[in-house]
Amino acid sequence: MHVSYSVFTETSFWLMVVVSVVLPFGIYGVLIAKRAISRKTVLVLGFSLVAIAGVDVFFLQRLATIAAITPSLADDALFVSEVRVALYLLPALFAGLGINVISHVLTTHLAAAEKRFAEQQADESASEV
């Protein structure tokens, strides 16, 4: 196994930065910039935010393990100390926003389905009279 001198030189650290920062803000940009967007697209982007949060937690756990065996104290201060808890706020934010987006799509779909059902019931009762 290759022992690195710091977590910050690991490819997995930079992959986590890209997945944690670039990808979610790209998703937010798409959601904000589009004037019209389908429900399915919004749902996929919401699930993507939740998946990104899960990947972030995986990377944070992995980097904490790697940081514990490296001789560098800088990565220990960030990934092994109590500061590590603050790093989990970003994935929690992404998961929360993703769940909120998914909930919005499901709520609007159910409201529309209930409205269609009520209209069908009204049409059926009007045709019986």
Side-chain angles (χ1 to χ4, degrees):
M1 181 176 139
H2 172 266
V3 177
S4 176
Y5 289 105
S6 175
V7 164
F8 302 114
T9 60
E10 293 287 324
T11 306
S12 59
F13 171 75
W14 294 106
L15 187 60
M16 183 193 76
V17 169
V18 168
V19 169
S20 300
V21 177
V22 176
L23 201 55
F25 287 108
I27 290 172
Y28 297 147
V30 167
L31 289 172
I32 290 171
K34 296 291 251 176
R35 297 192 84 176
I37 192 166
S38 74
R39 242 188 247 167
K40 289 180 183 179
T41 302
V42 173
L43 193 63
V44 166
L45 294 176
F47 278 117
S48 297
L49 288 171
V50 174
I52 288 168
V55 169
D56 283 352
V57 169
F58 169 77
F59 276 128
L60 287 171
Q61 290 289 325
R62 180 173 163 81
L63 291 172
T65 303
I66 294 170
I69 61 172
T70 61
S72 172
L73 296 177
D75 53 12
D76 288 352
L78 191 60
F79 292 106
V80 181
S81 70
E82 291 80 16
V83 176
R84 179 176 83 170
V85 175
L87 295 174
Y88 286 93
L89 292 178
L90 195 60
L93 172 72
F94 296 149
L97 289 172
I99 290 169
N100 195 15
V101 167
I102 293 166
S103 174
H104 169 73
V105 170
L106 292 176
T107 302
T108 56
H109 173 72
L110 291 174
E114 288 175 356
K115 184 178 177 183
R116 284 190 302 274
F117 179 77
E119 289 170 355
Q120 287 175 352
Q121 294 298 319
D123 290 344
E124 288 176 8
S125 61
S127 66
E128 290 177 1
V129 174

